[in-house]
Amino acid sequence: MNTLSSHWLALVFFICGAFGSQAQTQFLLVPDRVFDGEQVHTNWAVLVESDQITATGPADQIKAKPGATFLRLEGCTLLPGLIEGHAHLLLHPYNETPWDDQVAKESDALRVARATVHARKTLLAGFTSIRDLGSEGAGYADVGLKTAISEGIIPGPRMLVAGRAMVATGSYGPKGFDTDFTVNLGAEAADGDDVIRVARDQMGKGADIVKVYADYRWGINRVVLPTFSQHELSLIVETARSGGRPVVAHASTAEGMRRATLAGVETIEHGDGGTPEVFRLMKEKGVALCPTLAASDALNQYKGWKKGEEPEPAVIRLKRETFKEALKAGVTICAGGDVGVFAHGDNVRELELMVNYGMSPADVLRSATSINARVFHMDSLVGKIVAGLKADLLVVKGDPLKNISDLRKIEFVMKDGVIYRN
């Protein structure tokens, strides 16, 4: 076997990452520890050939072919590529440009150009798969991004996309315009039995996921209230299921969460106002929570508060309390930060907050790998380091099972057997 010096290893990384070509050799990776998506192992090795993991186990039992590239990763942890559960590649941080202006004023061409950079930053941060939960006014540009990545035109994570997403009339969109003026809403309006047609149309145009806004702010009133009725939500879920798609719900009120859970959605996004009763119902129905802690944290900072200078805002206190209630109820927790509200490539911010709010680092790593993969129906491809799955791998210096922020100390990123980052 070949043992690569750091110089030649960097050259391999550059060639594979720059051109996106499949590695034609085997890679035998031997780190200090392997987190396989569920458990940590020491003295393990992982064998990769082409785009797949072909063997894992004790290092002295894994045999590579003559000529295989041997990578001894001292002081490092090897993990499955991380999975971002709630992203918007077509948005950029709101302290740069407010959401209203991005939706109503920025052209789709400009937003797609930015999104190609966002995709690359996401991949290089170790997130090899994402759910992109709405183009936010850019139509089906997310479908095009997904295609460009899968065809190797641009680097980025594998994507599950929600297309335009679905809102109830009057409950969504940029504000402050003359009511006689039609403005780009940022999602597609549907009401009554018409939700069936809209769900079918979105699936037909490439949506992997049907996303609904189960509650939102009506008109100029800043109070968040439920939008779709129980009947409408049930119709959406029934229609999506018949098309083989899951439904996810933006919901931040207890009633919106309750209706969405009873309708049969698979994940609740945000869940700010969840109650113990609602979380028990979610647990009973097998509905997961994607808490998006980092988005609230970022928005709090954008308002001008500085750490140590102001009391902790009520919204942050609420997120902490509801997150702890969800954990107490045993709700499945997905890892997803609503990235786009904050900077792409800073996805680890959500995982750090999950630990800060009460989860163990090991449980957070499970959420960002095997649990996200299972909940998002990706577990036949990614989420674990086991033979037969895609060679989506992340190597970091240190031990994120002890210090989650070690996920920022990236040594390399591999997706589909191609190394993109040294």
Side-chain angles (χ1 to χ4, degrees):
M1 284 182 284
N2 296 327
T3 301
L4 292 188
S5 68
S6 60
H7 172 78
W8 288 108
L9 182 56
L11 181 61
V12 170
F13 290 161
F14 173 78
I15 293 172
C16 292
F19 299 102
S21 59
Q22 288 290 345
Q24 297 302 311
T25 185
Q26 282 189 331
F27 283 95
L28 182 62
L29 296 90
V30 186
D32 281 9
R33 67 197 64 82
V34 174
F35 176 76
D36 64 8
E38 293 183 345
Q39 304 294 329
V40 66
H41 308 272
T42 56
N43 301 315
W44 259 39
V46 175
L47 187 65
V48 170
E49 186 168 6
S50 186
D51 65 342
Q52 287 194 331
I53 299 166
T54 54
T56 67
D60 58 0
Q61 298 179 19
I62 304 299
K63 306 301 180 184
K65 296 176 182 177
T69 299
F70 173 80
L71 304 180
R72 178 69 180 98
L73 304 162
E74 294 182 0
C76 293
T77 303
L78 176 64
L79 311 94
L82 302 174
I83 302 171
E84 170 60 62
H86 191 133
H88 298 279
L89 289 184
L90 289 144
L91 291 177
H92 58 107
Y94 295 176
N95 63 329
E96 297 175 359
T97 306
W99 182 86
D100 284 18
D101 289 351
Q102 292 186 49
V103 172
K105 297 179 181 179
E106 292 185 350
S107 71
D108 286 359
L110 174 61
R111 296 181 67 187
V112 169
R114 274 205 186 96
T116 62
V117 177
H118 299 160
R120 181 176 180 274
K121 287 182 175 180
T122 302
L123 177 60
L124 296 184
F127 289 77
T128 57
S129 300
I130 67 169
R131 283 195 312 174
D132 194 282
L133 295 185
S135 68
E136 305 289 334
Y140 293 93
D142 53 354
V143 177
L145 281 169
K146 172 186 173 180
T147 302
I149 291 168
S150 65
E151 292 184 2
I153 299 169
I154 60 172
R158 64 173 46 78
M159 297 177 68
L160 297 174
V161 300
R164 295 178 69 185
M166 197 184 309
V167 295
T169 297
S171 66
Y172 198 75
K175 308 301 180 187
F177 293 89
D178 187 313
T179 52
D180 291 329
F181 184 73
T182 301
V183 64
N184 186 2
L185 291 181
E188 185 171 8
D191 307 282
D193 290 354
D194 190 48
V195 298
I196 297 174
R197 179 194 62 79
V198 171
R200 287 173 176 165
D201 186 58
Q202 291 189 357
M203 291 187 288
K205 290 177 178 172
D208 303 303
I209 301 160
V210 175
K211 180 185 179 182
V212 299
Y213 284 76
D215 50 35
Y216 213 74
R217 298 181 293 273
W218 290 96
I220 61 174
N221 188 343
R222 303 302 292 175
V223 177
V224 178
L225 295 168
T227 53
F228 289 109
S229 69
Q230 187 70 68
H231 173 67
E232 289 169 319
L233 289 170
S234 296
L235 282 178
I236 294 166
V237 171
E238 180 184 0
T239 304
R241 279 182 179 167
S242 71
R245 269 72 160 190
V247 176
V248 307
H250 167 115
S252 59
T253 65
E255 179 61 15
M257 295 169 68
R258 187 188 71 83
R259 292 182 193 179
T261 299
L262 290 174
V265 305
E266 296 198 359
T267 65
I268 297 287
E269 310 300 309
H270 313 302
D272 300 15
T275 63
E277 293 76 20
V278 167
F279 288 130
R280 284 196 292 269
L281 180 65
M282 289 175 62
K283 169 66 174 176
E284 176 189 339
K285 300 293 184 181
V287 176
L289 174 68
C290 195
T292 66
L293 307 174
S296 296
D297 184 65
L299 290 172
N300 168 53
Q301 291 183 6
Y302 298 160
K303 291 176 181 177
W305 285 300
K306 294 182 180 179
K307 188 174 182 181
E309 294 184 3
E310 293 288 344
E312 189 176 52
V315 66
I316 302 299
R317 289 198 300 272
L318 180 62
K319 290 290 271 192
R320 284 183 180 273
E321 293 167 3
T322 55
F323 187 69
K324 289 178 180 179
E325 288 291 349
L327 291 175
K328 183 178 178 181
V331 173
T332 297
I333 304 294
C334 297
D338 207 355
V339 61
V341 175
F342 60 100
H344 297 276
D346 191 26
N347 306 64
V348 169
R349 182 176 187 167
E350 177 74 11
L351 310 187
E352 291 170 333
L353 285 168
M354 291 167 75
V355 171
N356 184 263
Y357 285 22
M359 287 183 76
S360 71
D363 284 340
V364 171
L365 291 176
R366 293 183 188 101
S367 288
T369 55
S370 60
I371 289 175
N372 272 4
R374 174 176 55 80
V375 173
F376 305 160
H377 308 284
M378 304 177 78
D379 51 336
S380 63
L381 292 175
V382 296
K384 294 182 182 179
I385 298 179
V386 297
L389 294 193
K390 289 288 187 179
D392 283 19
L393 301 171
L394 170 64
V395 175
V396 298
K397 199 75 174 176
D399 185 358
L401 290 123
K402 294 179 179 177
N403 178 13
I404 197 70
S405 294
D406 283 351
L407 291 174
R408 296 183 180 275
K409 301 175 183 178
I410 297 173
E411 292 292 301
F412 79 76
V413 176
M414 174 182 280
K415 177 191 164 208
D416 285 329
V418 177
I419 301 172
Y420 285 89
R421 175 170 176 172
N422 176 14

